[in-house]
Amino acid sequence: MPGAWQPPLPDMPAPPPARAWARLPVPPGYEPQWRRLVEAALEQGLGPDALAETGLEPLVAARDWKPATVALYSKVARYGGVGVPRATTPEPDPVTLDLRELTRVRSEAPEHLRSVAWCALALGWPATVGQFQGLRRDQVQATGRRLVVATEDGEWSVPGALTAWHAWEEVRSRFPGLAASPWVLPALRRGPGPNSHVGGQLSTQALQVTFAKHAVRTATAMRATAPPSRRADVEELAADYLTLSYDSYRRLALAGGAPPVGPRGAVRALRTVGRRARLAG
């Protein structure tokens, strides 16, 4: 006897977004980025399936992510099994940029000197944000002429960063929490987390924000102190600083001839060098 006709099964309703995200495995090595991606999606009420349909556009609009951030989180989403469209990391624009103003000591404020020391060190040791987050003070030694950075990946000699480094070390020695901290770029104040404390390890997101604030403050200071004869040039440079991210700073340092610290960004820097040569004719 033939079986009775049965209607097709209805579409299974999607689980709540929070439960759907919890079912996905976290991509190894990208735990902080995955957590922030999930938080941004949940703010918009989007589960993994919905995010795959819409792409990252709702998150970009809500959080005002820059192109480099969009490229990073699109990669992280795909690593976690969410099929969002691929976004390429933008090339540095402009191709060249004078970065020395970001290494100039302008005050004795700890936040300023921490950023200046970071920028000065990154000009000769263009590491990623994650590498700077885990960089310890005992891995940086000051000689009479330069700094020496020694990690598990090798040893690098960094000229031109002594003034900024000594200024930062001298100021942090005045505060017990900073003086006892093992980190090169420690927290200057307590954050919202229960384990946050002065001298603690900053997150990569906090470091990105720290750099952006330093770039904007440097642009403001340049505009306020520019002599009339250089006002046009300073205005142009300050405008570039207003949108500068650390990732772009690092790629510009690599394109300017700094030795690669690791494979990430090295190929892109070589392409930038070739692009600069083509533009020069």
Side-chain angles (χ1 to χ4, degrees):
M1 178 178 177
W5 176 83
Q6 295 181 348
L9 292 175
D11 292 337
M12 293 294 291
R19 187 186 304 171
W21 283 110
R23 293 177 178 176
L24 295 181
V26 180
Y30 291 91
E31 290 83 1
Q33 293 82 4
W34 178 260
R35 184 182 68 252
R36 290 193 288 271
L37 175 67
V38 172
E39 290 173 352
L42 289 176
E43 285 181 1
Q44 304 304 312
L46 299 175
D49 293 338
L51 189 65
E53 293 179 2
T54 64
L56 295 182
E57 284 77 9
L59 280 57
V60 174
R63 295 214 168 187
D64 194 25
W65 283 344
K66 291 183 169 56
T69 305
V70 176
L72 171 62
Y73 284 126
S74 68
K75 178 176 69 174
V76 171
R78 292 193 304 275
Y79 286 172
V82 182
V84 300
R86 182 184 299 272
T88 58
T89 303
E91 301 289 346
D93 188 19
V95 180
T96 61
L97 190 66
D98 182 3
L99 304 175
R100 292 172 298 176
E101 289 294 332
L102 294 164
T103 69
R104 190 184 303 277
V105 175
R106 299 179 185 274
S107 75
E108 292 191 354
E111 187 171 9
H112 169 74
L113 291 177
R114 182 185 60 182
S115 299
V116 167
W118 177 14
C119 291
L121 191 55
L123 274 186
W125 190 68
T128 63
V129 172
Q131 289 172 300
F132 267 107
Q133 180 201 23
L135 186 64
R136 302 188 309 275
R137 294 168 76 187
D138 59 13
Q139 294 177 300
V140 182
Q141 301 296 325
T143 69
R145 301 181 63 181
R146 60 194 63 208
L147 297 178
V148 177
V149 181
T151 70
E152 296 177 353
D153 300 320
E155 185 174 290
W156 289 264
S157 178
V158 183
L162 280 176
T163 299
W165 178 261
H166 287 313
W168 167 226
E169 283 287 299
E170 195 279 328
V171 165
R172 71 183 292 176
S173 67
R174 305 174 189 171
F175 304 91
L178 299 180
S181 173
W183 309 110
V184 168
L185 303 176
L188 302 181
R189 58 186 64 86
R190 289 194 59 182
N195 298 323
S196 178
H197 62 279
V198 174
Q201 188 177 25
L202 285 173
S203 66
T204 55
Q205 185 179 25
L207 285 175
Q208 292 278 18
V209 173
T210 294
F211 179 87
K213 288 169 60 178
H214 176 59
V216 170
R217 289 170 178 171
T218 300
T220 302
M222 290 167 55
R223 284 171 166 167
T225 59
S229 60
R230 296 193 62 244
R231 190 168 301 278
D233 293 337
V234 169
E235 282 290 339
E236 183 177 355
L237 183 59
D240 289 327
Y241 281 1
L242 291 177
T243 59
L244 188 65
S245 67
Y246 177 74
D247 291 334
S248 293
Y249 181 92
R250 175 176 174 267
R251 288 195 295 271
L252 286 163
L254 285 166
V261 174
R264 180 178 171 185
V267 174
R268 187 174 300 277
L270 289 176
R271 289 205 302 265
T272 303
V273 172
R275 179 183 167 202
R276 182 172 56 195
R278 291 192 301 272
L279 291 175

